[in-house]
């Protein structure tokens, strides 16, 4: 999600051992120079990113092992998980760096994967809306989803390279402190708009879902039963992930509002909560995914072993000679008299 947690780092001539916030001759000046607080911010963020990395690997492994990716909604979850995985690597890379090509790459990498996560969550929300409200299946638009998510993320992440706007920005590299307009143009502005839109859309989806479930109670019709199956198979697996993103965005948003209202005076508690929640997308997704009833039922040693054996054993493709079948009339095209005649002849 968000990247810099506020404040600046300046060169230092101290001879102390390097800490998470004092490397390559730079020292933290956040919180009146309290290095323990600066170290805590970086340490918390890296710890949460490590947990998210493990969570993403768990989800990717389960989806691959049990061949869940054959289902469209599971592929959407997979794409989000891949984006969250690389986003976690970006948070792990976060360090105090002098301005230069390495810092620019770190900033670009973080921006690209932050945007990729945001866009895939947006696609999940739009997909939920179209399935729930419009009853439209979106399988055919999978390539369009890819084109939008990866292209938009790439273009927006490349824009700050114009005019050298990437550089040291607090405890890691991102858009420089002095490039405030670029921060709001390429991240905060679109982020606020998308989050508000997702919140409204998500609230409407929940309202429509509850309304439909109540209207279906005590009735049985083929169309209603089909809609129930769509609800179970396509809506329930997806509905948690936009909510997770919205929930994890609360403290970063509050911290950013405070930074804008009182620049240069960050609140330690808000900065810690920002550092705690912003890298957590992968971990919380994994917890929710693992608690899903269908997934949980498969996470036994017997099922895991059987699935792995099924994945590792390659069955040879054999060709069998075609045998002409005796010609018989199609039963679905036969009338009652023809069926009766066929019965007597058997």
């Amino acid at each position: 999600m968000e990247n810099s947690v506020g404040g600046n780092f300046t060169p230092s001539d101290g001879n102390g051992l390097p800490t998470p916030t004092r490397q390559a001759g730079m020292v933290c000046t956040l919180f009146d120079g309290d290095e323990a607080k600066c170290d805590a911010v970086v340490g918390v963020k890296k710890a949460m990113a490590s947990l998210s990395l493990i969570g993403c690997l768990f989800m990717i492994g389960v989806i691959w092992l049990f061949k869940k990716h054959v289902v469209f909604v599971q592929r959407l979850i997979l794409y989000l998980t891949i984006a969250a995985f690389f986003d976690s690597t970006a948070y792990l890379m976060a360090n105090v760096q002098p301005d230069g090509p390495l810092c620019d790459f770190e900033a670009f990498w973080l921006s690209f994967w932050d945007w990729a996560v945001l866009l895939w969550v947006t696609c999940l929300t739009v997909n939920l809306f179209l399935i729930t409200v419009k009853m439209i299946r979106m399988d055919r638009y999978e390539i369009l989803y890819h084109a939008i998510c990866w292209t938009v993320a790439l273009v927006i992440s490349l824009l700050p390279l114009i005019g050298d706007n990437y550089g040291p920005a607090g405890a890691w590299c991102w858009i420089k402190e002095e490039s405030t307009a670029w921060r709001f143009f390429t991240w905060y502005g679109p982020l606020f708009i998308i989050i508000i839109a997702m919140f409204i859309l998500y609230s409407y989806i929940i309202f429509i879902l509850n309304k439909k479930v109540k209207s279906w109670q005590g009735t049985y019709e083929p169309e209603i039963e089909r809609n129930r199956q769509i609800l179970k198979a396509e809506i329930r697996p997806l509905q948690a992930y936009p909510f997770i993103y919205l929930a994890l965005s609360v403290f970063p948003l509050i911290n950013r509002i405070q930074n804008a209202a009182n620049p240069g005076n960050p609140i330690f508690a808000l900065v810690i909560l920002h550092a705690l929640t912003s890298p957590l997308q992968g971990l919380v997704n994994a917890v929710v995914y693992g608690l899903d009833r269908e997934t949980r039922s498969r996470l036994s040693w017997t099922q895991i072993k059987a699935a792995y054996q099924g994945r590792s054993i390659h069955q040879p493709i054999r060709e069998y000679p075609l045998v002409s079948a005796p010609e018989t009339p199609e039963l679905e095209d036969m009338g009652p008299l023809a069926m009766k005649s066929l019965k007597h002849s058997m």
Side-chain angles (χ1 to χ4, degrees), residues 65-268:
L65 184 63
F66 295 108
K67 300 182 181 179
K68 287 171 167 277
H69 51 80
V70 299
V71 180
F72 175 60
V73 294
Q74 294 291 332
R75 288 200 299 277
L76 290 180
I77 296 172
L78 176 62
Y79 304 144
L80 172 61
T81 305
I82 291 171
F85 172 85
F86 285 104
D87 202 34
S88 298
T89 66
Y91 287 118
L92 281 173
M93 289 168 57
N95 255 326
V96 180
Q97 299 280 1
D99 199 0
L102 182 60
C103 188
D104 289 348
F105 174 76
E106 183 183 305
F108 165 78
W109 189 256
L110 188 59
S111 294
F112 177 80
W113 292 110
D114 272 348
W115 263 105
V117 169
L118 175 60
L119 290 169
W120 277 113
V121 171
T122 305
C123 281
L124 289 179
T125 309
V126 171
N127 196 74
L128 273 173
F129 173 79
L130 293 173
I131 295 172
T132 307
V133 179
K134 303 296 184 180
M135 300 302 292
I136 300 174
R137 295 180 61 88
M138 298 300 295
D139 311 44
R140 71 187 75 175
Y141 300 111
E142 186 172 356
I143 295 177
L144 180 62
Y145 281 178
H146 279 286
I148 292 173
C149 290
W150 304 122
T151 303
V152 171
L154 179 62
V155 170
I156 294 179
S157 301
L158 289 172
L159 287 177
L161 291 172
I162 301 172
D164 191 28
N165 290 289
Y166 281 139
W172 38 84
C173 295
W174 189 50
I175 298 173
K176 295 176 182 177
E177 194 76 26
E178 58 268 24
S179 302
T180 306
W182 278 96
R183 288 185 172 191
F184 279 91
F185 174 67
T186 62
W187 181 246
Y188 297 133
L191 176 69
F192 294 163
I193 294 170
I194 291 173
I195 283 181
I196 291 170
M198 278 202 301
F199 180 79
I200 295 171
L201 207 58
Y202 193 76
S203 300
Y204 186 65
I205 289 168
I206 298 299
F207 170 75
I208 294 296
L209 272 178
N210 291 334
K211 188 176 178 181
K212 286 187 176 183
V213 169
K214 287 180 182 178
S215 68
W216 292 341
Q217 289 177 353
T219 58
Y220 179 85
E221 293 179 13
E223 184 64 23
I224 290 178
E225 189 59 28
R226 176 179 170 275
N227 291 338
R228 280 177 178 161
Q229 293 304 318
I230 292 175
L231 173 66
K232 182 178 179 181
E234 299 192 11
I235 297 175
R236 284 182 183 172
L238 294 181
Q239 62 184 356
Y241 300 100
F243 176 77
I244 290 170
Y245 191 91
L246 292 172
L248 293 177
S249 299
V250 171
F251 290 117
L253 286 175
I254 293 173
N255 185 48
R256 282 307 170 193
I257 292 171
Q258 190 278 331
N259 292 165
N262 192 10
N265 294 293
I267 298 173
F268 178 66

Side-chain angles (χ1 to χ4, degrees), residues 62 66 68 74 232 237 289-299 303:
V62 170
F66 295 108
K68 287 171 167 277
Q74 294 291 332
K232 182 178 179 181
Y289 195 77
L291 290 176
D292 177 69
R293 183 182 301 174
E294 193 272 337
T295 302
R296 196 169 64 247
S297 67
R298 293 191 175 194
L299 295 179
Q303 293 230 33

Side-chain angles (χ1 to χ4, degrees), residues 26-78:
M26 302 183 75
V27 63
C28 173
T29 57
L30 282 171
F31 314 117
D32 297 324
D34 189 336
E35 300 238 357
K37 290 183 178 179
C38 296
D39 292 344
V41 170
V42 177
V44 164
K45 195 155 197 172
K46 289 196 172 188
M48 296 303 101
S50 300
L51 293 174
S52 281
L53 204 66
I54 295 169
C56 291
L57 288 173
F58 163 77
M59 288 182 68
I60 293 170
V62 170
I63 292 171
W64 172 83
L65 184 63
F66 295 108
K67 300 182 181 179
K68 287 171 167 277
H69 51 80
V70 299
V71 180
F72 175 60
V73 294
Q74 294 291 332
R75 288 200 299 277
L76 290 180
I77 296 172
L78 176 62

